[in-house]
Amino acid sequence: MKLYKSLTIIILCLTLAACGTNINEAKKDISIKTNVSNDAFTLGDNLKLSISNPKNHDIGAVNYTLDGKDIQSSQELNNMKLGVHELVASFSLNGESTSLSKNITILNNQTPKIYTYKIINQYPHDQTSYTQGLEFHNGELYEGTGQYGGSKLRKVDYKTGEVLKNINLSNEYFGEGITILNDKIYQLTWKKGTGFVYDVNTFEKTGSFKYGESLEGWGICNDGSKLYKSDGTEKIWTLNPETLAEEGYIQAYHSKGKVVELNELEWVNGKIYANRWNKNGVAIINPENGAVEGVIDFTPLHNMVTKHPKLDVLNGIAYNPDTKTIFVTGKYWDKLFEVEITEK
């Protein structure tokens, strides 16, 4: 009897393994088809889905989801976030439940507007500062700087360049972007997966937080209630201001593709202004869907600062609500520029 039971179990296991193998082999013959050859759609397009089954496997009714939400086989891509989305088709195959997945990309349906600027004022800036974050709060300018052994948090008299308050980060941290919300300064660090929280009045460190799924710390800004964080990719993450947990993200895309290496961030009149690392340009991003709606080329400013061996690219954007103007500088720049932005 024991031998009979053992043989039954072995046969059953072999049968189940064979079924699993057969299903996996059959799935290789099946794919999700869309109505666009490269699976890249434009916002507002109609997505049409079907299953390619050239070997006529036994397939049941197909249910589709996009980012985990049920959709029909014909779906208009309106009011969507841009970027990469996961499409899943669930069905029965030879009597067993299974699924397939693929990614589609949604691009913006408009090309970015081109903006230019007018220089209003020029102010002195500490040439030794590797500027990473820049922000106004109650009319005063705050700055975060980078480099191991040279990272700082400062309050600066922007008209004279005088440093009014300064603390140095531990040498193990490479400072990144800063923002101020509810009398707290939030400062990111690069590769340590850690951000710091300070009292805006005393610069006392009151806490720290860990990143979630975001890769690194690059830039940070806020809209008065939520924090937005870049990590060096096309993603901008939304952080809960109480827990500092990542709650989601947008992906920066225009009509041709994604914009990567988003760095310093600033909230300006309902939009996110983002430096691109190693560039002298700024992208204007819709925080709802990630659409790059405009670009500004600040390259001429780079030619207006003192040339020296360490001189690096533009980095640092701050909107001053008192003057309704934007302030920009760069890494190891000796000038801070006040500019007015206009559409070209």
Side-chain angles (χ1 to χ4, degrees), residues 211-255:
Y211 310 154
E213 295 181 34
S214 60
L215 299 177
E216 296 175 346
W218 285 48
I220 189 168
C221 69
N222 76 85
D223 63 2
S225 61
K226 297 188 297 291
L227 300 168
Y228 298 85
K229 173 187 177 295
S230 63
D231 65 359
T233 69
E234 71 278 10
K235 293 179 179 178
I236 297 177
W237 298 78
T238 305
L239 274 60
N240 182 300
E242 299 299 325
T243 66
L244 299 174
E246 294 166 358
E247 296 183 329
Y249 61 82
I250 56 173
Q251 303 169 75
Y253 271 71
H254 46 56
S255 55

Side-chain angles (χ1 to χ4, degrees), residues 131-135 144 176-178 218-221 229-236 252 259-268 272-285 292 294-299 301 312-318 326-331 333:
T131 305
Q132 299 285 66
L134 208 62
E135 184 143 319
E176 289 283 347
I178 65 166
W218 285 48
I220 189 168
C221 69
K229 173 187 177 295
S230 63
D231 65 359
T233 69
E234 71 278 10
K235 293 179 179 178
I236 297 177
V259 178
V260 298
E261 297 178 332
L262 299 175
N263 201 358
E264 222 278 87
L265 305 180
E266 181 74 3
W267 186 270
V268 183
I272 296 174
Y273 282 48
N275 279 131
R276 283 194 65 195
W277 180 73
N278 217 26
K279 308 287 184 183
N280 289 307
V282 167
I284 302 174
I285 301 169
V292 178
V295 293
I296 314 166
D297 183 8
F298 285 113
T299 299
L301 296 183
D312 211 326
V313 294
L314 178 98
N315 203 66
I317 321 166
I326 289 173
F327 290 68
V328 294
T329 188
K331 302 174 186 296
W333 286 22

Side-chain angles (χ1 to χ4, degrees), residues 88-263:
V88 176
S90 301
F91 50 90
S92 64
L93 174 58
N94 297 334
E96 291 194 32
S97 297
T98 190
S99 64
L100 294 171
S101 66
K102 74 182 307 180
N103 290 334
I104 65 168
T105 303
I106 303 177
L107 305 173
N108 199 22
N109 54 7
Q110 297 180 0
T111 58
K113 295 179 179 179
I114 306 299
Y115 289 85
T116 187
Y117 60 89
K118 175 184 176 183
I119 298 175
I120 305 299
N121 284 301
Q122 301 179 38
Y123 302 105
H125 179 255
D126 181 3
Q127 186 175 290
T128 68
S129 288
Y130 190 83
T131 305
Q132 299 285 66
L134 208 62
E135 184 143 319
F136 276 94
H137 177 69
N138 293 338
E140 296 183 300
L141 185 64
Y142 293 76
E143 182 174 11
T145 74
Q147 296 294 347
Y148 293 111
S151 295
K152 303 175 178 65
L153 175 64
R154 289 177 159 181
K155 181 166 76 171
V156 180
D157 184 328
Y158 73 90
K159 292 185 177 180
T160 66
E162 179 187 0
V163 178
L164 304 176
K165 193 180 292 287
N166 178 91
I167 59 171
N168 298 326
L169 273 66
S170 171
N171 290 348
E172 66 181 298
Y173 293 106
F174 192 115
E176 289 283 347
I178 65 166
T179 196
I180 301 168
L181 178 64
N182 299 328
D183 290 330
K184 297 176 182 178
I185 304 174
Y186 298 88
Q187 183 176 30
L188 302 177
T189 66
W190 184 20
K191 291 187 174 182
K192 289 290 187 178
T194 301
F196 297 120
V197 185
Y198 307 88
D199 181 283
V200 72
N201 297 307
T202 65
F203 275 29
E204 176 190 359
K205 187 186 294 183
T206 58
S208 63
F209 59 98
K210 293 292 184 181
Y211 310 154
E213 295 181 34
S214 60
L215 299 177
E216 296 175 346
W218 285 48
I220 189 168
C221 69
N222 76 85
D223 63 2
S225 61
K226 297 188 297 291
L227 300 168
Y228 298 85
K229 173 187 177 295
S230 63
D231 65 359
T233 69
E234 71 278 10
K235 293 179 179 178
I236 297 177
W237 298 78
T238 305
L239 274 60
N240 182 300
E242 299 299 325
T243 66
L244 299 174
E246 294 166 358
E247 296 183 329
Y249 61 82
I250 56 173
Q251 303 169 75
Y253 271 71
H254 46 56
S255 55
K256 300 297 182 182
K258 63 185 176 182
V259 178
V260 298
E261 297 178 332
L262 299 175
N263 201 358

